[in-house]
Amino acid sequence: MQTLTTVSAMQALAATLGTAGRPVGLVPTMGALHEGHVSLIRLARDRGAVVVVSIFVNPTQFGPSEDFTRYPRNLEADLAACAAAGADVVFAPAVEEIYPKGYSTFLAEEHVAKPLEGVSRPVHFRGVTTVVAKLFNLVRPDFAVFGQKDAQQVAVIRKMTADLHFGVEIVTAPTLRDPDGLALSSRNRYLTPQQRAAALALHQALHRAQSMVAQGERRVDRLIAEATHLLSQQRLVRIIYVAVVDRDSMESAREVLPGRSLMAIAAWVDEVRLIDNEIL
Ligand code: PAF
C-alpha cells in the first residue's frame, strides 16, 4: 500500500493507475475509520479495482460552530485499517495541499442539498461537493463508494456527478449497524454509555416506520408522528428533523412509495448530532 500526502504525487500516480487494465475505485473518507468504512473499501476491492482511499478532514464542510477541530483523527490506526481491508493507495493530504492560501473556488449543488441537512448545516454540502469534485479530478476514478448512512450526501453527489458529466459511477454501500441497531459513525465515539443508549431511539423510530409500511401504512404524517413520539420519549434526544422524502431528490413525499421513499432523522443526543435513515 502506498501513502501519498501531496497533490502532485496523487496526480502523477493517477496518470498511471488507469493503465493497469483494472478499474480505479475511490473511497473518500474523513478518517476515524470504523467497520462501515472498511466495508466500503472491501466493496471496491471486490469489484476488482485498484482502491484509493482518501483520508481528509475537510474544513469547508464544517460550520463555524461545528466539531472540525475536535473531529477524531488517528492516521496511524487508519492506515493499518486501510492496509488490512486491501486498499492499494491512501491519499492523506494536509489542509494546505487541498486549500492553499488564497483558495477561492467552491462548487454547490442547489436543489437536492437544500432540505434536511441543508437547513441546519447551510455550508455543509457546498464543502462536500467541492472536496469530492477535487478528489475526482485528482484521482480520476472509474467509480466512487459512499455509505447509505449519509443518504442525502449520496443523492447530492450523484446529482453533481451527473450535472457536471464527471463520468464517475457512484456506488452506495448499505449502512452497517452495531448488533443493537446503532448505525456506525465516527461521531459515535463522542457518546457516553448513557447517551449511546438514548441514541438507539433513532434506529428504533426508523424500524417502527418500516414495520408500519410493511403492514400497509402509506400516510407520511402517521409515520412521522409515530417516529417523533418514540424519539421524544428519550429525555436526552432533541429532534432536528424527522422527514419522509424521495431517495433521489430529497423532496418531501406526499405518500410512501415503498423502495423510493426514505425516512431521515437528525437529532441531538445531548451535545452529539446524529443522523440515520432507512428506505421504507
Ligand atoms: O462522508 C464523509 O466522510 C465526507 O463527507 C466525504 C464524502 C469524505 C467528503 O469530505
Side-chain angles (χ1 to χ4, degrees):
M1 189 179 82
Q2 292 187 59
T3 304
L4 309 176
T5 56
T6 64
V7 162
S8 56
M10 189 62 246
Q11 283 170 319
L13 184 70
T16 68
L17 279 183
T19 59
R22 287 157 69 199
V24 176
L26 170 66
V27 182
T29 81
M30 298 207 298
L33 302 183
H34 51 65
E35 275 305 308
H37 297 107
V38 167
S39 77
L40 308 183
I41 299 170
R42 292 216 177 99
L43 191 156
R45 196 198 53 192
D46 291 349
R47 290 178 137 225
V50 178
V51 182
V52 180
V53 179
S54 63
I55 297 178
F56 180 64
V57 185
N58 174 34
T60 63
Q61 71 188 71
F62 290 80
S65 58
E66 292 181 6
D67 55 349
F68 173 69
T69 42
R70 75 172 188 126
Y71 195 83
R73 291 165 173 85
N74 190 345
L75 187 59
E76 217 170 295
D78 288 344
L79 292 177
C82 288
D88 298 288
V89 179
V90 171
F91 178 48
V95 170
E96 306 73 49
E97 279 289 315
I98 300 298
Y99 301 111
K101 196 167 182 301
Y103 185 87
S104 59
T105 303
F106 292 88
L107 178 64
E109 190 286 329
E110 298 195 338
H111 183 74
V112 184
K114 287 285 181 228
L116 308 178
E117 293 296 285
V119 174
S120 44
R121 305 184 70 193
V123 300
H124 175 65
F125 286 122
R126 172 180 179 265
V128 170
T129 42
T130 299
V131 82
V132 170
K134 284 163 82 67
L135 289 168
F136 284 0
N137 284 334
L138 289 172
V139 177
R140 308 216 162 265
D142 296 291
F143 67 91
V145 190
F146 297 89
Q148 178 63 26
K149 158 84 174 20
D150 297 307
Q152 190 176 10
Q153 169 169 282
V154 174
V156 169
I157 289 170
R158 260 187 213 292
K159 189 66 169 54
M160 169 196 87
T161 304
D163 283 354
L164 297 182
H165 317 290
F166 268 111
V168 176
E169 183 191 353
I170 305 303
V171 178
T172 43
T175 303
L176 287 200
R177 297 182 180 281
D178 278 334
D180 57 11
L182 187 69
L184 298 195
S185 161
S186 303
R187 290 190 169 95
N188 289 355
R189 36 190 106 181
Y190 299 148
L191 297 169
T192 64
Q194 199 194 9
Q195 292 166 340
R196 196 187 174 290
L200 294 179
L202 275 76
H203 169 250
Q204 284 157 1
L206 293 169
H207 190 68
R208 176 86 186 109
Q210 279 184 314
S211 323
M212 288 168 74
V213 171
Q215 285 159 19
E217 183 61 81
R218 296 290 179 269
R219 290 166 298 183
V220 166
D221 54 344
R222 293 299 166 99
L223 298 174
I224 292 178
E226 180 65 14
T228 304
H229 172 69
L230 278 176
L231 287 162
S232 39
Q233 288 183 329
Q234 288 295 336
R235 195 180 46 82
L236 296 181
V237 173
R238 297 190 316 280
I239 297 171
I240 301 167
Y241 58 77
V242 177
V244 176
V245 296
D246 178 79
R247 62 183 299 172
D248 294 328
S249 70
M250 295 288 135
E251 284 167 7
S252 293
R254 282 160 190 257
E255 64 167 26
V256 174
L257 296 177
R260 274 215 67 83
S261 305
L262 171 138
M263 178 175 271
I265 298 178
W268 289 103
V269 179
D270 263 351
E271 302 309 315
V272 186
R273 190 182 190 284
L274 295 179
I275 59 172
D276 200 353
N277 71 88
E278 282 288 1
I279 302 283
L280 295 174

